[in-house]
Amino acid sequence: ASTLALGDKPQEEEKREENVGDVKNGGPSIGGGGDGKNSKAVASYWGVEPPKLVKEDGTEWKWSCFRPWEAYKADTSIDLKKHHVPETFLDKLAYYTVKSLRWPTDVFFQRRYGCRAMMLETVAAVPGMVGGMLLHCKSLRRFEHSGGWIKTLLEEAENERMHLMTFMEVAKPRWYERALVITVQGVFFNAYFLAYLVSPKLAHRVVGYLEEEAIHSYTEFLKELDNGNIKNVQAPAIAIDYWQLPKDATLRDVVVVVRADEAHHRDVNHFASDIHYQGLQLKDAAAPIGYH
Amino acid sequence: ASTLALGDKPQEEEKREENVGDVKNGGPSIGGGGDGKNSKAVASYWGVEPPKLVKEDGTEWKWSCFRPWEAYKADTSIDLKKHHVPETFLDKLAYYTVKSLRWPTDVFFQRRYGCRAMMLETVAAVPGMVGGMLLHCKSLRRFEHSGGWIKTLLEEAENERMHLMTFMEVAKPRWYERALVITVQGVFFNAYFLAYLVSPKLAHRVVGYLEEEAIHSYTEFLKELDNGNIKNVQAPAIAIDYWQLPKDATLRDVVVVVRADEAHHRDVNHFASDIHYQGLQLKDAAAPIGYH
Ligand SMILES: [Fe+2]
Ligand SMILES: [Fe+2]
Ligand SMILES: [Fe+2]
Ligand SMILES: [Fe+2]
């Protein structure tokens, strides 16, 4: 249902008209009409038509939001209990900030873990993007190598967005939830942006603790699936392709791999904070790339 | 000279002291001192030590700012002459904005093409990051797939940053050039951010035209190399690894592949603008991924 292949979207006649002058600029004239034909012609004029991709079993690759080579197997053997004991003032600030956010979240979502996962993943995908973007700009401004951290943080953001794309298939957002996400993103993006400018040490620690809470929530989610309070439905197709799960995988399998991802993010972000605690910058320690 | 492997940076004694309380939190205590030992211990505590990578010839991979699997061969057969003739008002606005920026740039750099390339790549890496970030946030806010465009634009930004890392090895920035870059980035980042919010159609068209100018400048660079005004030195090691060039590659070879990259960015951005001209959103047309 959510495939977005080229030409999927029906185009109205008047929209196509509007574009004629544009396409004829030195490009080949466009013959037949029909849904999506026009955008295909434009793409091939610019020589950037996306390649037809196939899955391992030879069937067509359904997704344009990620590619076969971005699929991976999550490391479910990762230690889920690891915890950074807060000792310094900044650590405690990070820890209690996260803990104080837990209570209103619990009240709002109660035991609707599918909905909770979907909503929180819209927030979880922000820090990696903000951090990656700021490090990118810094690398350019200072003519400095990045140590791979830009990529690591952007990959985290990408991974969190795939979590969202997955949980979207399980829980559909209602209008007031959509409104809430817009507000929360506006506040959180700017808060994290400022926090990262002022103290990346604190910012990464906060994410480390957020991920610890995420592991906890996904463990609760699993309990609810196991005791039958939440129905263990079929895994969404996108999740099966993204985490290379077996065809008969269930929601439970998806929650297990997502939780492993969160544990990986926890480690990366606590590690990033630790590097700053050592008086170093992230670029001074090669980044952990290649998990996703 | 620019390898940033873990532990490369000498750590002073007092910096290590400051961190002891942090590392011992539930983690293993740290034995011997010495350069970088500490960050290695922290990394392995979090289980995220970067893997030791080797090149095809078995020697150690020197770079942490990019990985062997990000290396690629540029498509130098790409059409360098393609041009989008501006017809609509927005196209003309984009075209003449870019053209009007050409003159002061020419005056400033004269024929110092190495320096020019280095300086302009700090700017060139901004639009992809801004566009990718805005599409990412939009995808989260609207619970929508991205069509792969987030990745495409972030890859463009990454690629432009690698251009910078390359030209940095050829031309070293002077202090006033560093100061200039900071100012220009501050202005351009915000201008492009606003432009992208108001009209992604215009923003991508501007980048398309900027890339057309970049192709022109790199062609001039090649002329200066060919007539001996600029010395055709050995290609930087990072460029040889990134574009999989032969070991005896020269600066000329580097400029040729960089120019091919710019032509690819030109096509991608004009295509993105064309999609908007058709009344579609980028997510409605699968993105061209896989060039880099
Ligand atoms: Fe997540
Ligand atoms: Fe996470
Ligand atoms: Fe470039
Ligand atoms: Fe470019």
Side-chain angles (χ1 to χ4, degrees):
Chain A
S2 38
T3 316
L4 288 166
L6 193 81
D8 252 357
K9 181 152 183 174
Q11 275 176 256
E12 296 97 314
E13 205 62 35
E14 67 271 25
K15 278 186 182 160
R16 219 160 346 111
E17 294 299 304
E18 170 190 320
N19 182 46
V20 170
D22 174 58
V23 174
K24 74 171 183 236
N25 292 336
S29 70
I30 291 190
D35 290 347
K37 277 269 165 51
N38 211 11
S39 59
K40 249 177 207 148
V42 174
S44 61
Y45 169 56
W46 288 113
V48 289
E49 199 152 7
K52 280 267 173 255
L53 296 169
V54 289
K55 279 171 71 168
E56 274 174 23
D57 59 9
T59 57
E60 201 189 332
W61 185 253
K62 285 166 60 178
W63 319 104
S64 57
C65 63
F66 75 108
R67 304 296 166 140
W69 55 84
E70 285 156 44
Y72 67 101
K73 287 196 193 297
D75 172 21
T76 49
S77 73
I78 195 166
D79 184 352
L80 298 169
K81 298 276 172 221
K82 233 182 247 174
H83 166 57
H84 179 84
V85 180
E87 290 202 350
T88 68
F89 168 74
L90 272 188
D91 282 358
K92 283 176 184 162
L93 180 60
Y95 185 73
Y96 292 107
T97 303
V98 170
K99 279 290 176 194
S100 69
L101 292 171
R102 169 118 213 149
W103 183 78
T105 324
D106 283 347
V107 170
F108 184 83
F109 292 110
Q110 308 282 343
R111 291 188 165 190
R112 299 178 295 129
Y113 285 101
C115 180
R116 178 188 193 124
M118 180 189 65
M119 294 289 279
L120 291 186
E121 293 297 355
T122 66
V123 173
V126 168
M129 181 54 66
V130 170
M133 190 247 304
L134 288 173
L135 290 182
H136 177 76
C137 290
K138 190 176 178 183
S139 163
L140 303 175
R141 264 193 326 264
R142 300 197 177 179
F143 301 91
E144 274 175 357
H145 285 224
S146 65
W149 281 95
I150 299 169
K151 193 122 209 166
T152 298
L153 296 181
L154 294 179
E155 275 184 1
E156 181 188 303
E158 178 85 7
N159 180 243
E160 298 286 17
R161 200 177 66 245
M162 288 303 297
H163 291 177
L164 173 62
M165 297 297 126
T166 294
F167 286 115
M168 265 164 55
E169 302 295 318
V170 182
K172 294 285 170 202
R174 275 155 285 187
W175 72 266
Y176 63 86
E177 288 170 340
R178 287 176 178 273
L180 186 66
V181 162
I182 294 172
T183 315
V184 169
Q185 186 184 93
V187 173
F188 185 66
F189 187 98
N190 287 293
Y192 194 81
F193 185 96
L194 289 178
Y196 206 96
L197 282 181
V198 174
S199 170
K201 189 196 277 184
L202 173 68
H204 282 295
R205 191 65 85 206
V206 166
V207 177
Y209 286 129
L210 283 173
E211 300 289 1
E212 290 185 12
E213 295 301 325
I215 294 166
H216 176 77
S217 298
Y218 283 117
T219 303
E220 294 294 309
F221 196 162
L222 288 177
K223 279 183 200 159
E224 295 292 290
L225 283 164
D226 288 341
N227 66 24
N229 286 345
I230 298 176
K231 211 183 145 207
N232 189 17
V233 295
Q234 260 257 284
I238 193 170
I240 291 175
D241 282 343
Y242 185 61
W243 285 283
Q244 304 179 329
L245 297 171
K247 271 189 182 156
D248 58 350
T250 63
L251 180 54
R252 190 182 200 288
D253 300 315
V254 174
V255 175
V256 167
V257 290
V258 168
R259 186 176 60 170
D261 287 351
E262 311 298 11
H264 177 73
H265 303 156
R266 169 203 64 195
D267 292 349
V268 168
N269 281 280
H270 278 320
F271 174 43
S273 185
D274 287 352
I275 293 169
H276 281 291
Y277 264 104
Q278 291 182 50
L280 297 171
Q281 291 191 287
L282 294 188
K283 72 182 176 61
D284 302 321
I289 294 190
Y291 169 82
H292 298 119
Chain B
S2 40
T3 315
L4 287 167
L6 194 80
D8 252 359
K9 181 149 178 175
Q11 275 176 256
E12 296 97 314
E13 205 63 36
E14 67 274 22
K15 277 186 183 161
R16 222 162 342 111
E17 294 299 303
E18 172 191 319
N19 181 46
V20 170
D22 175 58
V23 174
K24 75 170 181 237
N25 293 335
S29 71
I30 292 189
D35 290 347
K37 275 271 164 51
N38 210 12
S39 59
K40 247 177 207 151
V42 174
S44 62
Y45 169 57
W46 289 112
V48 289
E49 199 151 8
K52 280 267 174 255
L53 297 169
V54 289
K55 280 171 70 167
E56 275 175 22
D57 59 10
T59 57
E60 200 189 332
W61 184 255
K62 285 167 59 178
W63 320 102
S64 58
C65 62
F66 75 109
R67 304 296 166 139
W69 54 84
E70 286 155 44
Y72 67 100
K73 287 198 194 294
D75 172 20
T76 50
S77 73
I78 196 165
D79 183 352
L80 298 169
K81 298 275 172 222
K82 233 184 247 172
H83 166 57
H84 178 84
V85 180
E87 291 203 349
T88 68
F89 170 73
L90 271 189
D91 281 359
K92 283 178 186 162
L93 180 60
Y95 185 73
Y96 292 106
T97 303
V98 170
K99 279 291 176 193
S100 69
L101 291 170
R102 170 118 214 149
W103 183 78
T105 325
D106 282 347
V107 170
F108 184 82
F109 291 110
Q110 307 282 342
R111 292 187 162 191
R112 297 178 297 131
Y113 285 100
C115 180
R116 178 187 191 125
M118 179 188 67
M119 294 290 278
L120 290 186
E121 293 297 355
T122 67
V123 173
V126 168
M129 181 53 67
V130 170
M133 190 246 305
L134 288 173
L135 291 182
H136 177 77
C137 290
K138 190 176 179 183
S139 164
L140 303 174
R141 265 193 326 264
R142 300 199 175 178
F143 301 92
E144 276 175 355
H145 285 223
S146 64
W149 280 96
I150 299 169
K151 194 122 209 164
T152 298
L153 296 182
L154 294 179
E155 275 183 2
E156 181 188 303
E158 178 84 7
N159 181 243
E160 298 286 16
R161 201 178 65 246
M162 288 302 298
H163 291 177
L164 173 62
M165 298 297 125
T166 295
F167 287 115
M168 265 164 54
E169 302 294 319
V170 182
K172 293 286 170 201
R174 275 155 286 184
W175 71 266
Y176 63 88
E177 287 170 341
R178 288 175 177 273
L180 186 66
V181 161
I182 293 172
T183 315
V184 169
Q185 185 184 95
V187 173
F188 186 67
F189 187 99
N190 288 293
Y192 194 81
F193 185 96
L194 290 177
Y196 206 95
L197 282 181
V198 174
S199 171
K201 188 196 276 184
L202 173 69
H204 282 296
R205 192 64 84 206
V206 166
V207 177
Y209 286 129
L210 282 173
E211 300 290 2
E212 290 185 13
E213 295 301 325
I215 294 166
H216 176 78
S217 298
Y218 283 117
T219 302
E220 295 294 309
F221 196 161
L222 287 177
K223 279 184 202 158
E224 294 292 289
L225 282 164
D226 288 342
N227 67 24
N229 286 347
I230 298 176
K231 211 183 146 208
N232 189 18
V233 294
Q234 259 257 284
I238 194 169
I240 291 175
D241 283 342
Y242 185 63
W243 285 283
Q244 304 179 329
L245 297 172
K247 273 189 182 158
D248 58 351
T250 63
L251 180 54
R252 190 181 200 288
D253 300 315
V254 174
V255 175
V256 167
V257 291
V258 168
R259 186 176 61 169
D261 287 351
E262 310 298 11
H264 177 72
H265 303 156
R266 169 202 65 194
D267 292 349
V268 168
N269 281 281
H270 279 319
F271 175 41
S273 185
D274 288 353
I275 293 169
H276 282 291
Y277 264 105
Q278 291 181 49
L280 298 171
Q281 292 191 288
L282 293 188
K283 70 180 177 63
D284 301 322
I289 294 188
Y291 168 83
H292 298 118

